[in-house]
Amino acid sequence: RDTDDVGDPMLSSRIEGTYFDVFFYGCTDGKDCDSIEFSAEFEMPRPVQPAVVNDWNREGRYGRAYVDEKGNPNIEFDVNLDFDGVGGKNFDDTIDVWRAVLTDFRKHIDW
């Protein structure tokens, strides 16, 4: 557990060897945040072509991807927490969806 540059909570974790961060947004004094974003960067030996990531964005339902300035693919997944948050079962399912996104994206980029 950590905080980001503006003092909002931030988590770092991993699933099946893939490291990722969870950023919190719309927070009041580090609490009552209205959304979170799961984010993973994949360091590649060679830059990934933007067309590979565009294919993901066109075909994938969950997660949006981009190629950063180093040519590494990144995947992000937003979750709305506004109003009454996310219940336990829904959050467990959200983690399962994120796990599936990471697995599918790793295969897609051949990582």
Side-chain angles (χ1 to χ4, degrees):
R1 183 178 178 149
D2 204 353
T3 56
D4 64 15
D5 295 339
V6 297
D8 288 336
M10 184 182 102
L11 302 174
S12 296
S13 190
R14 74 173 190 255
I15 292 177
E16 298 169 359
T18 302
Y19 290 89
F20 64 93
D21 295 312
V22 181
F23 298 98
F24 291 70
Y25 294 96
C27 305
T28 304
D29 297 324
K31 298 182 225 169
D32 301 321
C33 307
D34 64 15
S35 64
I36 58 175
E37 177 186 79
F38 293 83
S39 178
E41 176 185 6
F42 296 84
E43 293 188 21
M44 304 293 281
R46 291 180 307 282
V48 169
Q49 295 300 312
V52 171
V53 173
N54 287 344
D55 287 344
W56 170 269
N57 287 327
R58 184 176 38 259
E59 302 296 325
R61 180 171 177 196
Y62 293 102
R64 71 180 173 282
Y66 63 91
V67 176
D68 67 17
E69 64 280 348
K70 298 176 279 186
N72 291 323
N74 290 254
I75 185 91
E76 297 175 342
F77 176 61
D78 294 307
V79 179
N80 181 20
L81 304 174
D82 216 0
F83 304 110
D84 57 356
V86 174
K89 289 180 183 179
N90 191 303
F91 191 74
D92 287 347
D93 189 57
T94 297
I95 298 297
D96 288 342
V97 170
W98 175 240
R99 174 178 286 137
V101 166
L102 285 178
T103 299
D104 292 347
F105 191 66
R106 283 191 310 248
K107 289 177 188 173
H108 185 80
I109 62 171
D110 197 26
W111 188 75

